[in-house]
Amino acid sequence: MALSGTKMVEVGTTNRTHLKDYEEAVTEECAMLLKIHPSNYRITGFHSAVPREELAALAHSRGLIFMEDLGSGMLIDTSAAGLSSENDPTVADSLRAGCDIVTFSGDKLLGGPQIGAIVGKKELIEKLKSHQLLRALRVDKMTLAACEATLRLYLRGDVRAIPTIDMIFKTKEELLEEAKRFSRRLKTYFKGTRIQRLTIEVVPVNDTVGGGTFPQSVLTGYAVALRLPEMGSAGKLAEKLRRGSFPVITGAAEDKVLFHLRTMREGDDRRIIGALDEILRMPAERTY
């Protein structure tokens, strides 16, 4: 913006913005209307914002470009997973609403590599591609290859192959079965150790989505709760797991370490048991 000499004019207020605020801010020097996704925060209570359809109509009636930054760049409808898309549109939703340019991230909820994406009207994209800064700021070929591979999964309809999407769409029934299996594996493992007192149970949990789009949204899931009084508090056990040769990051509640099944991938059960085994085999003076 500094290079182009652009001046950004904010309209409305934090919690209440109306179409007239945009109309009154448009001058002969105005070239674009810009709508920014709130990303990692939400305004609750009495508030108002202008729908993108109305902003697109205003922009086009005044000969202006309408651009929206979507942040996380969801490509599919997540309502089936229990996440409301009312305030979190997909990229296609924004384009259908009349946006000329839409920007978003290739990682986060899209599930690909860290990349900045710009889509929209061909003539505008061509102008951006011809700018000399593109050569300096464009991503490398390996990142582009990773992004392409991710997008091809969307095109094939194989979205569950993308870890982020698979985690979001795991059902409570799937998670419960996985939690029961992992619980049994842990119990079998500890039978062969020196540990005499322990608690292993499957507990319901709320999994936070985050991802730059759903900061307040949670999905109901399950975790395996582990308590090892002989190894100290849950905080101490969680620290030992983090410090292992294969770090394991856990949750904790009610003095129990929690392994959330939603974020566990294939083979993680073996890795967790390996990490526990490493801790138990340490000399007593080193288990802190």
Side-chain angles (χ1 to χ4, degrees):
M1 290 176 65
L3 180 67
S4 67
T6 298
K7 178 183 178 182
M8 183 172 69
V9 178
E10 297 186 20
V11 300
T13 62
T14 301
N15 64 322
R16 281 188 286 180
T17 305
H18 305 283
L19 185 63
K20 66 179 181 180
D21 295 322
Y22 286 90
E23 292 173 334
E24 293 172 357
V26 173
T27 67
E28 293 181 356
E29 297 180 341
C30 184
M32 174 188 291
L33 297 186
L34 176 63
K35 182 178 178 67
I36 303 292
H37 190 275
S39 189
N40 289 317
Y41 75 93
R42 286 294 180 271
I43 300 172
T44 59
F46 180 71
H47 68 282
S48 61
V50 185
R52 55 188 52 81
E53 290 83 357
E54 294 184 18
L55 288 176
L58 172 61
H60 298 155
S61 70
R62 304 288 182 90
L64 307 176
I65 296 170
F66 176 42
M67 172 180 168
E68 180 171 26
D69 176 23
L70 281 183
S72 68
M74 278 296 297
L75 297 184
I76 59 174
D77 183 8
T78 55
S79 58
L83 297 175
S84 172
S85 59
E86 180 180 352
N87 297 315
D88 302 288
T90 65
V91 174
D93 288 336
S94 289
L95 292 171
R96 281 193 292 265
C99 292
D100 301 306
I101 298 177
V102 179
T103 58
F104 53 93
S105 298
D107 54 333
K108 300 176 183 174
L109 294 180
L110 192 149
Q114 192 169 42
I115 191 174
I118 307 174
V119 301
K121 290 186 176 179
K122 183 177 180 180
E123 61 270 23
L124 295 176
I125 300 300
E126 289 298 327
K127 284 185 178 181
L128 295 173
K129 288 169 63 177
S130 66
H131 196 283
Q132 59 268 29
L133 269 182
L134 177 64
R135 181 170 294 276
L137 299 178
R138 66 184 179 186
V139 296
D140 59 86
K141 293 179 180 179
M142 292 301 293
T143 303
L144 285 173
C147 183
E148 178 184 347
T150 304
L151 294 176
R152 287 189 181 279
L153 292 173
Y154 281 97
L155 287 173
R156 292 203 301 265
D158 192 15
V159 294
R160 290 293 294 264
I162 301 170
T164 301
I165 303 300
D166 184 54
M167 292 177 195
I168 289 175
F169 280 90
K170 276 189 175 180
T171 65
K172 290 172 59 178
E173 293 73 21
E174 288 178 290
L175 294 169
L176 180 58
E177 287 304 311
E178 291 176 11
K180 289 178 178 178
R181 284 197 297 270
F182 182 45
S183 175
R184 290 194 292 267
R185 287 208 62 182
L186 282 177
K187 290 176 181 177
T188 300
Y189 163 72
F190 278 108
K191 285 180 181 179
T193 70
R194 59 180 170 81
I195 297 296
Q196 299 297 313
R197 295 182 298 135
L198 77 158
T199 302
I200 299 173
E201 58 185 328
V202 175
V203 297
V205 292
N206 287 326
D207 296 320
T208 303
V209 180
T213 294
F214 299 103
Q216 294 178 316
S217 299
V218 295
L219 297 173
T220 303
Y222 288 93
V224 172
L226 172 64
R227 175 184 285 166
L228 298 176
E230 297 172 44
M231 303 298 294
S233 66
K236 285 291 185 182
L237 178 56
E239 181 182 1
K240 293 169 186 175
L241 287 168
R242 291 195 302 271
R243 290 176 175 269
S245 56
F246 188 96
V248 176
I249 310 299
T250 71
E254 300 178 354
D255 203 29
K256 299 173 186 175
V257 165
L258 300 180
F259 301 100
H260 286 242
L261 271 296
R262 189 179 297 277
T263 53
M264 285 179 59
R265 310 302 294 165
E266 185 177 354
D268 280 352
D269 54 347
R270 297 191 301 273
R271 298 182 183 99
I272 291 170
I273 290 175
L276 289 167
D277 196 55
E278 180 181 343
I279 293 171
L280 294 178
R281 292 179 186 278
M282 285 182 181
E285 65 271 13
R286 291 185 58 203
T287 57
Y288 57 85

